[in-house]
Amino acid sequence: MSYPEYPEPRYHGDKGEVNAVFRPADTPPDISSPGGATHYLATNESTGGEFGLYKVELGARSAGAKTHFHKAMSESFYILSGELELYNGERWVTGRAGDFLYVPVGGLHAFKNVTDEPMSMLLLFSPGAPREEYFERVAEMSQRGGEELKQFRIRHDSYFVEDFEPGAE
């Protein structure tokens, strides 16, 4: 029986290194707003671009993100608590604690909290991308709207269907 091969080694030392990074559970969120919070668990910078992992907390009735796709990275959702409506490119499904959605590169997806309760999830982007500016400025840029919002989204590898519909700015 044959097995898939592992990637080529990237570490070439003989004894290993002390280089693990610990983040205590009580670390305050990196971004807080009335609609939720985002914790930067592992960023593009801290993983050398391998992946980005974020804990996202959405408040009740949070809009989330409309239908979009990414050209450079996959996105995965793991529900920690509460419920989240997830669009898998074909239909909306309800994600509950323990549910997982993987969206390959180019896959249409969206999400929103339609309940009266908050929820939390892990978001994993692979490979890692510098998503922090996106999280920090998306609310501000959404207020501006128009071509400025569209270009901000594109710069952050977020192609929203609404930006490319006939009649869109």
Side-chain angles (χ1 to χ4, degrees):
M1 171 177 242
S2 66
Y3 296 96
E5 292 191 30
Y6 276 76
E8 288 295 316
R10 294 181 295 156
Y11 175 75
H12 300 285
D14 294 327
K15 303 200 190 264
E17 295 180 5
V18 176
N19 59 5
V21 178
F22 177 72
R23 181 182 167 105
D26 62 356
T27 302
D30 295 278
I31 302 173
S32 293
S33 69
T38 302
H39 303 256
Y40 298 168
L41 303 179
T43 64
N44 169 68
E45 184 178 347
S46 70
T47 67
E50 290 184 28
F51 66 93
L53 181 64
Y54 306 87
K55 179 182 176 189
V56 177
E57 300 164 344
L58 295 178
R61 304 280 171 194
S62 178
K66 294 180 181 178
T67 304
H68 65 285
F69 63 94
H70 307 289
K71 292 184 177 185
M73 61 192 172
S74 65
E75 185 171 1
S76 297
F77 299 79
Y78 182 80
I79 310 303
L80 296 170
S81 65
E83 292 184 4
L84 184 69
E85 293 301 305
L86 296 157
Y87 182 65
N88 67 9
E90 291 182 320
R91 64 186 174 89
W92 288 94
V93 295
T94 301
R96 295 179 179 84
D99 288 342
F100 176 77
L101 176 69
Y102 168 67
V103 183
V105 174
L108 292 169
H109 60 288
F111 61 92
K112 58 188 174 184
N113 182 357
V114 300
T115 73
D116 291 326
E117 300 296 324
M119 65 80 55
S120 67
M121 65 179 157
L122 294 177
L123 283 183
L124 174 70
F125 296 96
S126 179
R131 295 297 285 172
E132 296 76 34
E133 182 197 12
Y134 184 82
F135 294 137
E136 292 164 7
R137 297 194 60 210
V138 68
E140 166 200 343
M141 297 305 290
S142 294
Q143 291 292 320
R144 293 183 188 185
E147 187 63 23
E148 195 172 1
L149 173 60
K150 179 180 176 181
Q151 292 308 312
F152 172 80
R153 289 170 166 174
I154 290 171
R155 190 172 82 244
H156 289 284
D157 190 32
S158 296
Y159 296 84
F160 280 74
V161 172
E162 68 185 13
D163 289 339
F164 300 97
E165 292 175 340
E169 287 187 43

